[in-house]
Amino acid sequence: MASRLNPYISFSGDAKQAMEFYKEVFGGNLAVHTYGGFGSEAPPGYADKIMHGMLETDRGFTLMGADNPPGTEHKPGNNIAVSLSGDDADELRGYWDKLSDGGTVSVPLEKQMWGDVFGMCADKFGITRMVNVSEQQT
């Protein structure tokens, strides 16, 4: 899969409804994963909340979204990030190194419970960036 750049929107508990709405608007395939769906115990009140949702349309649009993670404040204006994802680890780690340099890392780029390598930072201009390196399933 080629690397892609797309918006990632955070919601305050209504990510499922929002992503379903965007599917009605743009069409395509919607995949959603809840905090409770990964086999480990979800934070209190988060079992049915969306940990990750992705809408891919026939027109080539990709929109990702999720409910705000526990312990983070939802504030319109800080609820959108730019996501870089794909399976070219060297390319994506290179972007991560440059984007996080001089910025603030909130999630180090490392293997996560869903099996991919993921990191999140604010670049030196304050733009939230997410990098996800897809691990090939064996």
Side-chain angles (χ1 to χ4, degrees), residues 35-56:
Y35 280 88
F38 281 98
S40 59
E41 189 169 323
Y46 274 78
D48 294 328
K49 299 290 183 198
I50 303 303
M51 182 178 179
H52 176 69
M54 183 166 72
L55 175 64
E56 294 182 286

Side-chain angles (χ1 to χ4, degrees), residues 47-87:
D48 294 328
K49 299 290 183 198
I50 303 303
M51 182 178 179
H52 176 69
M54 183 166 72
L55 175 64
E56 294 182 286
T57 74
D58 296 338
R59 300 292 237 176
F61 302 152
T62 299
L63 177 64
M64 295 181 186
D67 289 307
N68 250 37
T72 60
E73 179 183 3
H74 180 270
K75 190 166 44 172
N78 76 348
N79 61 328
I80 190 163
V82 179
S83 172
L84 283 159
S85 56
D87 58 9

Side-chain angles (χ1 to χ4, degrees), residues 71-116:
T72 60
E73 179 183 3
H74 180 270
K75 190 166 44 172
N78 76 348
N79 61 328
I80 190 163
V82 179
S83 172
L84 283 159
S85 56
D87 58 9
D88 187 328
D90 291 338
E91 177 184 39
L92 291 165
R93 284 181 186 279
Y95 293 143
W96 170 262
D97 291 344
K98 292 173 185 173
L99 290 167
S100 62
D101 184 33
T104 304
V105 173
S106 54
V107 178
L109 186 65
E110 59 190 22
K111 189 140 182 135
Q112 301 296 325
M113 69 176 152
W114 59 89
D116 291 349

Side-chain angles (χ1 to χ4, degrees), residues 21-32:
F21 169 73
Y22 297 136
K23 181 181 188 290
E24 289 177 22
V25 171
F26 298 113
N29 296 310
L30 175 62
V32 294

